[in-house]
Amino acid sequence: SQQGEEDPQALSIQEGENATMNCSYKTSINNLQWYRQNSGRGLVHLILIRSNEREKHSGRLRVTLDTSKKSSSLLITASRAADTASYFCATVGASGGSNYKLTFGKGTLLTVNP
Amino acid sequence: SQTIHQWPATLVQPVGSPLSLECTVEGTSNPNLYWYRQAAGRGLQLLFYSVGIGQISSEVPQNLSASRPQDRQFILSSKKLLLSDSGFYLCAWIRGANYGYTFGSGTRLTVV
């Protein structure tokens, strides 16, 4: 079953603008992760935020986590055409033990226009 | 460095034919291994995972099976493919808690 649900499903912006994608989930988590997928390719891990963290940065990426609202956001600043891809949030459940299963949302398709 | 290999990249198979997709990991030992399937325009569905040799957990009852004959080898199989088995299959591994997954490049399977 889907755990994370991204919003919006699709986002189109101009190069240089910021892109914000949101994710909601249903159950308690150990951590939440964001991935990027270029068309027809495998997924690339972008950033992981633990359940006891509220914000994390990596280059042009900023992720926030609000466990009280069971939501997260991914901000890409100063977007580039190369950022065009699908972005997925995924969660590792708090009660998963050592299997570290990831449950994915359906993704947000980001298009950055030159 | 750790790498993950997945093959073939594309596969067209007739209904009722067998399937074998292979995934191998290099540069690490005793990884957790996963098979996911992605339908067109959809998120990823976990099919199987393995925490050790010979240990397979199935997430969704279906026409597929998985095996882990060696520590760094994970195989996805079917005896008779169905049209509904078409999709993009991804293998992944993880080092441990609070690490991200490393995905293979995927196999696009079309059952005709």
Side-chain angles (χ1 to χ4, degrees):
Chain A
S1 62
Q2 301 295 107
Q3 162 77 313
E5 293 291 338
E6 290 90 341
D7 170 55
Q9 291 187 338
L11 179 62
S12 181
I13 60 174
Q14 295 300 121
E15 209 165 25
E17 294 180 340
N18 296 341
T20 299
M21 288 161 271
N22 302 297
C23 168
S24 61
Y25 57 92
K26 298 176 182 176
T27 61
S28 297
I29 61 171
N30 177 289
N31 64 64
L32 184 143
Q33 304 175 30
W34 286 90
Y35 289 80
R36 182 186 71 217
Q37 183 181 35
N38 290 88
S39 181
R41 307 292 295 274
L43 278 74
V44 174
H45 178 253
L46 296 176
I47 197 165
L48 180 152
I49 186 165
R50 302 181 188 185
S51 60
N52 61 353
E53 297 175 313
R54 292 297 166 258
E55 187 171 314
K56 207 162 183 179
H57 297 255
S58 177
R60 294 185 295 112
L61 305 180
R62 172 177 170 256
V63 169
T64 62
L65 178 64
D66 186 337
T67 53
S68 67
K69 295 181 180 178
K70 291 186 169 59
S71 66
S72 172
S73 67
L74 171 67
L75 169 66
I76 303 174
T77 59
S79 63
R80 307 165 182 170
D83 294 328
T84 295
S86 291
Y87 291 82
F88 295 89
C89 74
T91 56
V92 175
S95 58
S98 62
N99 60 49
Y100 314 130
K101 294 187 295 182
L102 268 181
T103 304
F104 285 83
K106 296 180 181 179
T108 292
L109 176 59
L110 173 66
T111 302
V112 182
N113 301 300
Chain B
S1 63
Q2 299 93 359
T3 57
I4 180 168
H5 301 281
Q6 189 180 343
W7 67 94
T10 59
L11 193 58
V12 179
Q13 292 284 100
V15 169
S17 64
L19 173 74
S20 181
L21 302 181
E22 189 164 341
C23 171
T24 60
V25 180
E26 295 179 359
T28 187
S29 60
N30 197 32
N32 280 17
L33 296 170
Y34 306 85
W35 279 110
Y36 281 84
R37 178 171 61 200
Q38 184 178 31
R42 301 293 301 277
L44 278 73
Q45 180 185 38
L46 178 61
L47 301 177
F48 301 94
Y49 68 92
S50 172
V51 299
I53 296 174
Q55 300 180 60
I56 307 296
S57 295
S58 174
E59 287 293 294
V60 182
Q62 58 204 314
N63 186 40
L64 302 169
S65 62
S67 62
R68 185 171 177 173
Q70 300 179 41
D71 182 44
R72 289 170 288 180
Q73 184 184 30
F74 204 22
I75 297 172
L76 183 69
S77 304
S78 173
K79 293 182 179 178
K80 290 184 178 182
L81 285 169
L82 306 172
L83 287 174
S84 57
D85 292 324
S86 294
F88 191 47
Y89 289 83
L90 289 154
C91 179
W93 75 277
I94 190 172
R95 185 179 306 173
N98 293 311
Y99 286 90
Y101 278 23
T102 300
F103 280 87
S105 54
T107 295
R108 185 160 305 282
L109 171 67
T110 304
V111 182
V112 297

